[in-house]
């Protein structure tokens, strides 16, 4: 399995809450339909109001990368206030 973690910083509390709500309502549904989908989670990091991270898990690197393009397009269209995320990706070695 392969994971993608996208961390968005510099958000106001209102923007973070809007992004979380919209991702739960819409993006999660879209990603669930993607080939190789395993999981999509959102993380509100302790001690930081202006940060949110998404964790996407797919069966393969190729499927994860394809989903990343879908997610990036969705964010540009639905959450234009979001900055470019810091991305971390890699194979899950324990799960």
């Amino acid at each position: 399995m392969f994971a993608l973690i996208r961390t968005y910083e510099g958000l106001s509390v209102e923007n973070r809450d809007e992004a979380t709500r919209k991702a739960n309502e819409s993006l999660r549904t879209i990603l669930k339909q993607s080939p190789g989908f395993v999981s999509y989670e959102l993380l509100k990091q302790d001690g930081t109001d202006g940060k949110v991270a998404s964790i996407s898990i797919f069966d393969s690197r190729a499927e994860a990368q394809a989903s990343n393009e879908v997610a990036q397009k969705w964010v540009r269209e639905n959450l234009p206030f979001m900055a470019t995320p810091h991305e971390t990706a890699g194979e899950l070695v324990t799960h």
Side-chain angles (χ1 to χ4, degrees):
M1 284 196 271
F2 197 83
L4 291 170
I5 302 170
R6 291 179 292 276
T7 303
Y8 298 88
E9 299 183 48
L11 300 171
S12 69
V13 172
E14 295 81 15
N15 283 349
R16 185 202 62 214
D17 291 346
E18 178 183 353
T20 300
R21 179 182 54 77
K22 285 184 174 182
N24 274 322
E25 291 172 354
S26 178
L27 182 57
R28 178 186 301 272
T29 302
I30 293 166
L31 292 177
K32 278 185 176 181
Q33 298 169 10
S34 298
F37 174 84
V38 175
S39 177
Y40 175 76
E41 309 299 333
L42 291 172
L43 173 70
K44 183 172 81 172
Q45 296 176 332
D46 286 344
T48 58
D49 286 335
K51 253 186 190 180
V52 67
S54 67
I55 305 165
S56 302
I57 301 173
F58 284 82
D59 287 331
S60 72
R61 176 186 304 268
E63 291 163 335
Q65 289 172 332
S67 80
N68 195 36
E69 293 173 20
V70 170
Q72 288 175 347
K73 180 177 185 262
W74 184 90
V75 168
R76 282 192 307 273
E77 292 174 356
N78 293 278
L79 302 169
F81 54 81
M82 300 284 276
T84 301
H86 171 74
E87 295 183 357
T88 303
E91 183 181 349
L92 292 176
V93 294
T94 269
H95 49 87

